[in-house]
Amino acid sequence: MTACSSDAQQVLDFTVSAEWAGKRLDVVVAHFAQDISRSRCQDLIKQNALTIDGATISEPKFRVKQDQQICLNLPQPIDAAPEAQKISLDILFEDDALIVINKPADMVVHPAAGNEDGTLVNALLYHCGDSLSGIGGVRRPGIVHRLDKDTTGVMVVAKTEQAHNHLAAQFADHGRTGPLEREYLALVWGEPRPAKGTIKTQIGRDPKNRIKQAVLKTGGRNAITHFQLDHTFGGHKWTVSRVKCRLETGRTHQIRVHMTHIGHPLLGDTNYGAGMESKMRNLPMPAQQALKALGRQALHATLLGFEHPISGEKLTFTAPLPDDMQELENTLQAEI
């Protein structure tokens, strides 16, 4: 395969070898143009961006023949609709394929109604600029997983379509057969017993509150969280535990819903924890003040491991507790 580019487009040329004769056109193109997803190849074919021996072919199911010359015209990626904004980022790692950041609290990942700007996407569009090679024809960062607005910690974002496809496949596998590893630290009310276990439920929209998720008997999606008690604070009047959680699935609010389901909601989680005010009044005053200052659920994505989409190297990144969670822990520890 050969590739050349101009100000307007990049052109990929390759010849069909014997092993690919009789295969679908979109399958062949996706193999040789490895930076592009099969669905994107299908779109380009339908948009008359491909020729075979000089003739335009617009049917992805077309069966190719040996020695045919395929030419694919790749338009330059268009700019994403969100505005690029100069927002400070805590960057843990970056190369041509991806960027790993330590997301702060109060940052939404994607622009949406009520959060049109100031998001991680806005920040990455500014920081990465032209190093974003285009995903699905749009110059944008490839989001393969998300953290809640008020959850802090490690996130990876793709900068190319090839990296996006590879990382998305790893997250879809959830580490069952591949190298993906995700670990969170949560501060929860009480002490889980047993100290180690697995929560398996179905999670979906709460039928009584559409902005919340809930454990459902039917109709939800399978959700699996592995947890382990890491440390316990307090004693007679109050008990708080630091718990490690490892995700085997990635449902919205999964850890928050699951820990509440087993009777140990997260500190500061007003959406999923009932009786937070009365629980908080049992804490020593310094801990009460630190929890009020936290103003969010006490949840931090502390570790993320995955296979680099280009080199194949296993990479692992960690992020220490943010200052507000660390201060809350310090006040709890001081009372033991």
Side-chain angles (χ1 to χ4, degrees):
M1 181 180 69
T2 61
C4 60
S5 62
S6 66
D7 292 339
Q9 62 186 13
Q10 183 183 28
V11 180
L12 301 180
D13 281 303
F14 52 91
T15 302
V16 178
S17 59
E19 63 180 304
W20 292 100
K23 302 291 186 182
R24 283 174 51 128
L25 178 59
D26 57 348
V27 173
V28 175
V29 173
H31 172 78
F32 284 96
Q34 293 185 358
D35 288 351
I36 307 172
S37 67
R38 182 173 171 183
S39 61
R40 175 62 174 156
C41 289
Q42 291 172 342
D43 290 340
L44 290 170
I45 294 169
K46 293 175 182 177
Q47 294 164 10
N48 298 324
L50 181 143
T51 62
I52 297 180
D53 293 338
T56 299
I57 303 296
S58 58
E59 177 50 64
K61 296 180 181 179
F62 180 87
R63 299 288 174 171
V64 302
K65 298 178 181 178
Q66 184 176 350
D67 296 330
Q68 285 183 324
Q69 188 71 25
I70 295 178
C71 181
L72 177 66
N73 297 300
L74 297 174
Q76 289 288 347
I78 62 174
D79 290 332
E83 178 187 357
Q85 295 178 309
K86 188 176 182 179
I87 300 171
S88 178
L89 291 172
D90 182 3
I91 298 171
L92 304 179
F93 175 84
E94 182 177 11
D95 64 11
D96 292 341
L98 55 85
I99 182 169
V100 181
I101 62 111
N102 180 17
K103 190 186 88 65
D106 200 34
M107 175 179 272
V108 174
V109 173
H110 260 300
N115 295 285
E116 290 81 5
D117 57 14
T119 71
L120 177 60
V121 166
N122 296 112
L124 289 171
L125 285 170
Y126 180 92
H127 172 81
C128 298
D130 290 340
S131 68
L132 297 173
S133 66
I135 298 171
V138 179
R139 196 187 307 279
R140 62 182 175 89
I143 305 297
V144 292
H145 68 126
R146 305 187 191 195
L147 297 178
D148 295 343
K149 176 183 178 181
D150 290 327
T151 298
T152 55
V154 189
M155 279 190 66
V156 61
V157 179
K159 297 169 69 174
T160 70
E161 186 151 10
Q162 181 181 4
H164 182 264
N165 294 338
H166 196 288
L167 289 170
Q170 291 186 60
F171 276 87
D173 181 66
H174 299 297
R176 295 187 184 97
T177 62
L180 185 73
E181 185 180 9
R182 289 180 291 172
E183 186 173 281
Y184 293 72
L185 283 180
L187 294 176
V188 306
W189 295 105
E191 181 179 352
R193 295 181 184 275
K196 182 178 181 180
T198 298
I199 308 167
K200 296 182 179 181
T201 71
Q202 291 178 301
I203 287 180
R205 284 197 181 277
D206 189 333
K208 299 179 181 178
N209 186 336
R210 302 299 292 173
I211 67 172
K212 293 174 60 176
Q213 302 293 305
V215 169
L216 304 177
K217 292 182 179 179
T218 60
R221 302 176 68 189
N222 289 333
I224 303 173
T225 303
H226 306 281
F227 71 90
Q228 181 173 352
L229 178 65
D230 190 53
H231 190 78
T232 301
F233 308 90
H236 179 61
K237 292 185 177 181
W238 59 274
T239 303
V240 170
S241 297
R242 181 174 65 228
V243 176
K244 291 182 179 180
C245 295
R246 184 169 61 83
L247 294 181
E248 191 173 319
T249 56
R251 309 304 176 213
T252 301
H253 300 173
Q254 179 173 317
I255 292 175
R256 299 163 64 187
V257 173
H258 268 173
M259 294 310 297
T260 298
H261 178 66
I262 65 170
H264 300 284
L266 275 62
L267 271 66
D269 194 345
T270 55
N271 282 338
Y272 292 102
M276 286 293 175
E277 287 295 326
S278 60
K279 288 187 175 73
M280 187 169 66
R281 284 195 292 269
N282 289 326
L283 295 175
M285 186 54 65
Q288 290 187 40
Q289 294 171 343
L291 183 52
K292 288 180 180 179
L294 183 72
R296 60 182 179 87
Q297 67 269 10
L299 182 62
H300 177 66
T302 187
L303 181 148
L304 177 64
F306 56 89
E307 180 181 280
H308 192 282
I310 308 302
S311 69
E313 179 185 2
K314 172 65 184 294
L315 301 177
T316 302
F317 299 95
T318 60
L321 285 179
D323 291 343
D324 53 2
M325 273 189 71
Q326 187 61 62
E327 177 60 23
L328 176 56
E329 268 211 9
N330 292 345
T331 61
L332 295 171
Q333 184 67 42
E335 299 300 323
I336 295 178

